[in-house]
Amino acid sequence: RCIPPLSTDKVVLGQYTNGKKGEPGYLDDPTVPEDSRCPTFAMCVLYVQNERWDGVPFILKAGKGLNEHKTEIRVQLNDVPGDLFNRPASNIGLQTRNEFVLRVQPDPAIYMKMTVKDPGMRLRVQPGELELSYDAAYNGVVIPDAYERLILDCINGDQQHFVRRDELRASWAIFTPLLHYIDSGGLEVYPYTFGSPGPSQANVLRRDVGHITHLVQRDITWAGGLEHNPDAAATGRNSDGFLMSP
């Protein structure tokens, strides 16, 4: 209820085209009209107008035909003023923002990315992770899929994992004006290559609201990892939701 309707300058839409390995684009589907402007990608930035979250951007991203298939929440902490380690990287190593990551799928995990000091006498820092991996911590335990749990909740009459009626009405109030604007052709739909992280305009929007992308190997779910994607840290190749913290 504290979230105003989405501003159109805080939204990026995209539609995937042919992939580098010959994957068909969205318009290649015979059931899709040749002039379709239907988005297959969307990124938007929300703001919560209350005392706790004022000025903090909530970045939501979803799409089809991307380089990854995953669901996660990232809470990125802002740089602190007067940082003692805010020196040139050549002197003490790589200083990055702390991030708290909750990955739902694949490979469910909770981990904290932070800057740690290298062991030894020298003052050098590097990114590190504190991690709880469900596969490692609960080896042999069958973790049900999302819909399995929801179907069981329906059978048992348990509503705790479902959206309430008033919450649903409030969410539609946020997005409905934007959806009408999109239907009228008011927003441009940018093309992006199948298997890419999405249109480049999305990365520009992310940077404009203050998010800084720095990926480590633990963040990667696509084949090959960082060593096969040297530009990953620059392009932000992930499909996820972001929450910036003050």
Side-chain angles (χ1 to χ4, degrees):
R1 294 174 180 171
C2 297
I3 302 175
L6 276 167
S7 174
T8 55
D9 63 342
K10 292 294 188 290
V11 179
V12 172
L13 303 179
Q15 184 184 93
Y16 68 84
T17 59
N18 300 84
K20 294 181 180 180
K21 297 182 179 180
E23 298 92 345
Y26 179 74
L27 296 180
D28 294 329
D29 189 325
T31 64
V32 175
E34 294 182 358
D35 59 346
S36 174
R37 300 181 71 253
C38 178
T40 59
F41 172 95
M43 175 184 283
C44 62
V45 181
L46 299 172
Y47 290 90
V48 181
Q49 295 180 341
N50 61 20
E51 184 177 0
R52 178 182 293 273
W53 298 110
D54 186 42
V56 179
F58 288 71
I59 306 173
L60 309 180
K61 173 184 174 182
K64 296 182 177 180
L66 300 176
N67 60 327
E68 293 189 87
H69 176 71
K70 70 179 180 182
T71 303
E72 66 180 20
I73 300 171
R74 289 174 176 265
V75 182
Q76 184 177 99
L77 306 182
N78 272 341
D79 300 322
V80 298
D83 188 356
L84 295 177
F85 300 102
N86 188 17
R87 306 176 189 175
S90 58
N91 291 342
I92 62 171
L94 181 61
Q95 166 79 344
T96 61
R97 286 183 174 178
N98 295 343
E99 277 190 345
F100 182 58
V101 183
L102 298 92
R103 177 173 296 164
V104 180
Q105 62 170 339
D107 304 326
I110 301 172
Y111 57 100
M112 183 75 185
K113 297 165 57 181
M114 61 182 64
T115 301
V116 297
K117 179 184 177 297
D118 280 346
M121 300 297 292
R122 288 195 311 167
L123 179 58
R124 287 193 62 83
V125 296
Q126 66 175 349
E129 301 91 45
L130 295 175
E131 178 184 4
L132 168 62
S133 172
Y134 273 57
D135 291 339
Y138 304 105
N139 188 24
V141 177
V142 177
I143 300 176
D145 291 334
Y147 287 110
E148 293 181 61
R149 179 63 183 269
L150 292 180
I151 292 172
L152 180 61
D153 288 345
C154 288
I155 295 173
N156 294 331
D158 187 348
Q159 301 183 35
Q160 65 176 320
H161 294 113
F162 293 84
V163 177
R164 287 192 341 187
R165 210 175 298 175
D166 56 344
E167 182 181 351
L168 187 60
R169 283 196 296 265
S171 64
W172 277 113
I174 297 169
F175 287 97
T176 296
L178 174 66
L179 295 176
H180 289 326
Y181 188 71
I182 294 173
D183 289 341
S184 66
L187 275 182
E188 184 174 355
V189 180
Y190 299 101
Y192 64 94
T193 304
F194 184 97
S196 73
S200 60
Q201 290 80 2
N203 290 327
V204 174
L205 174 60
R206 189 191 311 225
R207 289 195 297 267
D208 286 347
V209 298
H211 181 265
I212 298 177
T213 300
H214 176 74
L215 302 183
V216 297
Q217 191 65 49
R218 186 64 186 88
D219 296 319
I220 309 305
T221 62
W222 65 79
L226 282 174
E227 63 273 14
H228 288 82
N229 296 270
D231 59 338
T235 58
R237 296 192 175 188
N238 46 355
S239 314
D240 41 33
F242 288 93
L243 162 64
M244 293 284 292
S245 178

